[in-house]
Amino acid sequence: MDADHDTKPTPKHVAIIMDGNGRWAKQRGLPRLAGHRKGAEAVRAAVEAAGDMGIEYLTLFSFSSENWRRPETEISDLMGLLRRYLKSEIAELHGKNIRFRVIGERKRLAPDIQKLVEEAERTTEHNSRQTLTLALSYGGRAEITDAARRIAQSVKLGLLEPDAVNEALFENYLWSVGLPDPDLIIRTSGEKRISNFLLWQCAYAELFFTDVFWPDFDKLAFQQAVDDFRRRDRRYGTTAHYA
């Protein structure tokens, strides 16, 4: 690692598209649920690795709007794993001073899951060491559409002037309000697309694609992605700039 690399900062916000659970299981002759269970274990490892590297915000794409089209049995399995995570991990996150958030169309989640999410957010809302955000029932286009709809309603009611609508105001209507834009977006499993994830927020994010399936995405793989990020020059459309 050269001296110039040492001077470049660790990303403040890393977002990850966790992909490859099913293929990981298929390679091993296991049911898809086994891949999802192993993927849930990788979430804990990622949170720990992010904390060790000084990453303040970690956002994980856990369940997309499109995932509702999967077979009912698989959706049921995924929701069961989510329930287990919310019941077993939040106390540990709270003990580590980690704030927990969820972004997405949470009304599509089962009532008991909605309640668990609300309790987890309330319990950890004042934690400040790190913020873990799960994107659940999330789609970037749906998020932007929802923001536009609510802005239009405010204008219609006379609460907002059309000329007042700018990028800063628009961001206040996004589900991710309060989160900084991601510096780095990682996708596992070898796929090279964004898949409707953080479409507004990713405007200047660095992208990193790895062939590693999510269940195998360990601290070393995470560190390699961060090291790659730190070797890049971020220009934001102008000259080199380091935040």
Side-chain angles (χ1 to χ4, degrees):
M1 190 178 297
D2 57 38
D4 182 59
H5 179 92
D6 288 336
T7 64
K8 295 182 180 179
T10 296
K12 183 176 183 178
H13 182 183
V14 175
I16 305 178
I17 301 171
M18 305 182 295
D19 195 16
N21 290 347
R23 279 168 286 169
W24 181 92
K26 184 177 180 180
Q27 281 187 352
R28 291 159 177 78
L30 300 171
R32 289 180 65 87
L33 178 58
H36 293 315
R37 284 175 174 166
K38 188 67 175 178
E41 294 176 13
V43 169
R44 173 182 285 203
V47 174
E48 183 177 339
D52 291 344
M53 288 185 281
I55 295 167
E56 297 178 41
Y57 297 88
L58 178 65
T59 298
L60 303 177
F61 200 3
S62 304
F63 191 86
S64 73
S65 300
E66 292 74 24
N67 287 158
W68 289 112
R69 302 172 190 163
R70 292 187 177 186
E72 289 186 15
T73 53
E74 183 174 359
I75 292 174
S76 178
D77 288 340
L78 289 168
M79 292 299 117
L81 288 173
L82 175 59
R83 286 185 179 92
R84 184 182 305 172
Y85 183 86
L86 291 170
K87 291 176 181 178
S88 65
E89 299 292 326
I90 299 304
E92 183 173 346
L93 293 177
H94 186 45
K96 293 180 178 179
N97 196 25
I98 297 174
R99 183 183 181 189
F100 176 83
R101 286 188 58 178
V102 164
I103 58 173
E105 298 175 283
R106 60 177 69 191
K107 289 183 179 180
R108 297 186 68 179
L109 300 170
D112 67 307
I113 293 179
Q114 292 183 45
K115 184 177 180 181
L116 288 170
V117 166
E118 291 167 3
E119 290 174 351
E121 290 181 326
R122 185 166 55 250
T123 297
T124 64
E125 64 181 333
H126 298 300
N127 293 345
S128 58
R129 175 173 173 260
Q130 186 184 15
T131 296
L132 170 64
T133 302
L134 297 188
L136 291 172
S137 187
Y138 175 88
R141 288 182 174 181
E143 178 180 31
I144 292 169
T145 301
D146 180 71
R149 181 186 303 112
R150 289 188 291 119
I151 289 173
Q153 290 172 343
S154 294
V155 170
K156 182 179 179 179
L157 293 171
L159 303 174
L160 186 66
E161 291 295 326
D163 290 345
V165 180
N166 54 30
E167 290 185 13
L169 182 139
F170 195 89
E171 288 174 354
N172 287 329
Y173 284 80
L174 294 173
W175 298 330
S176 63
V177 60
L179 291 176
D181 288 344
D183 302 294
L184 172 65
I185 294 180
I186 301 169
R187 181 167 188 153
T188 60
S189 86
E191 304 293 347
K192 295 178 174 64
R193 54 182 177 270
I194 295 298
S195 293
N196 200 20
F197 184 45
L198 299 178
L199 296 182
W200 174 279
Q201 300 88 338
C202 77
Y204 286 102
E206 298 294 321
L207 307 179
F208 182 87
F209 302 103
T210 176
D211 291 333
V212 176
F213 292 140
W214 174 248
D216 291 328
F217 189 80
D218 56 13
K219 185 174 182 178
L220 176 60
F222 203 154
Q223 185 66 61
Q224 288 173 340
V226 170
D227 287 345
D228 182 87
F229 169 87
R230 297 180 72 206
R231 286 191 290 268
R232 302 186 189 186
D233 291 334
R234 305 187 72 197
R235 294 185 172 84
Y236 300 94
T238 55
T239 56
H241 170 79
Y242 305 117

